[in-house]
Amino acid sequence: SVGAYEHTVREAFQRCLDLYLCPRAMKRRLNIDPESLVPKLPRAQDLRPFPTAKCIEYVTPYETDMPPIIRCVSASPDGQYMASGASDGYIRIWEVQTSRLLYSWNLSAIVAPFLLTAPDGDKDDTDDNKENKEKEASPTSVLPVTCLEWNPNKSHHCLLAVVGRCIVIVATGTGNAEGSMITDAFLLSAKRGGNVTTERAMKAIQWKALPPAPKQQLVLSSHDRNC
């Protein structure tokens, strides 16, 4: 006969503990105060200089009951000026540091006479497109400035604005006398028709000089498709 193993019951019990994942080793816990883990914040006086006044507010003038909605903004390459385009058809140039309004143009009123006389280059327009063009050309309709971009070249002080189906190039006059001469020479090629050389491009886009605005110069481009 074979004698019984004397530790059979104990090892079977320990095996059951292993199967039930019952740890038999002692674990030591670290008693750490949670407040000691939080870093000490410096005093407000040690963080100076920091802004202590309210931010600059740019107040848009308006004559209607509701203020216009700002649709787009663009900053000059040197960061000194900012241009904004609104739903009332105006573009405005601000001085960034002082929030002073320097210039403003009503592009909607300037572009409207051109849209009345602009030829339709696309003969396959649908009725909806023709109706939209008639609404844009209406003298009572207000065309918002939907896109605005400052020329990234610091020597050319001009803006590109999209109003309806027209693109208007505005000489901002924010530079010195030399910068104004360079900008005028740059826009002179647009007055002569730009670099449009192909017949297809000449049908799609037309350059036209607008009446000179006070202290500024405007050059407009109109094409048949929506911008």
Side-chain angles (χ1 to χ4, degrees):
S1 62
V2 179
Y5 181 54
E6 58 179 347
H7 301 295
T8 301
V9 178
R10 178 176 295 181
E11 291 183 357
F13 177 71
Q14 292 179 354
R15 179 58 180 166
C16 292
L17 293 180
D18 292 338
L19 295 177
Y20 279 98
L21 301 178
C22 294
R24 295 184 299 276
M26 295 180 60
K27 293 184 178 181
R28 294 182 180 181
R29 293 185 178 180
L30 298 178
N31 296 325
I32 301 176
D33 185 13
E35 297 295 335
S36 63
L37 299 178
V38 179
K40 294 183 180 180
L41 298 178
R43 297 180 302 174
Q45 296 179 355
D46 298 337
L47 297 177
R48 291 180 182 272
F50 58 87
T52 57
K54 293 183 178 180
C55 62
I56 298 177
E57 184 179 5
Y58 300 88
V59 181
T60 302
Y62 60 95
E63 298 178 355
T64 58
D65 297 335
M66 296 295 293
I69 301 174
I70 304 300
R71 303 286 296 270
C72 49
V73 294
S74 180
S76 61
D78 56 2
Q80 186 177 358
Y81 304 101
M82 181 184 66
S84 63
S87 59
D88 57 355
Y90 275 84
I91 62 171
R92 299 173 176 89
I93 295 182
W94 312 80
E95 195 173 23
V96 173
Q97 293 184 351
T98 62
S99 71
R100 183 167 62 98
L101 179 60
L102 300 178
Y103 308 108
S104 62
W105 296 272
N106 187 358
L107 295 188
S108 178
I110 295 174
V111 169
F114 176 77
L115 292 176
L116 291 173
T117 58
D120 291 333
D122 194 354
K123 297 181 180 180
D124 297 331
D125 273 351
T126 61
D127 295 337
D128 294 338
N129 290 338
K130 291 181 180 179
E131 185 178 354
N132 292 334
K133 290 181 180 180
E134 291 177 357
K135 290 181 180 179
E136 291 180 356
S138 176
T140 59
S141 62
V142 177
L143 301 176
V145 180
T146 57
C147 186
L148 192 66
E149 191 66 31
W150 207 292
N151 194 320
N153 192 341
K154 294 183 179 180
S155 60
H156 297 156
H157 302 274
C158 57
L159 280 169
L160 190 70
V162 178
V163 184
R165 294 181 295 115
C166 296
I167 299 175
V168 184
I169 301 177
V170 183
T172 60
T174 53
N176 52 17
E178 183 180 358
S180 299
M181 293 177 60
I182 296 176
T183 303
D184 292 340
F186 173 70
L187 297 179
L188 185 60
S189 61
K191 286 185 178 181
R192 296 173 179 174
N195 57 353
V196 180
T197 56
T198 62
E199 183 179 357
R200 182 178 180 182
M202 293 178 64
K203 292 182 179 180
I205 188 170
Q206 295 179 355
W207 291 91
K208 183 176 181 181
L210 295 175
K215 298 182 181 180
Q216 304 300 330
Q217 180 180 4
L218 299 177
V219 177
L220 180 141
S221 170
S222 173
H223 54 85
D224 297 325
R225 294 179 175 82
N226 295 327
C227 299

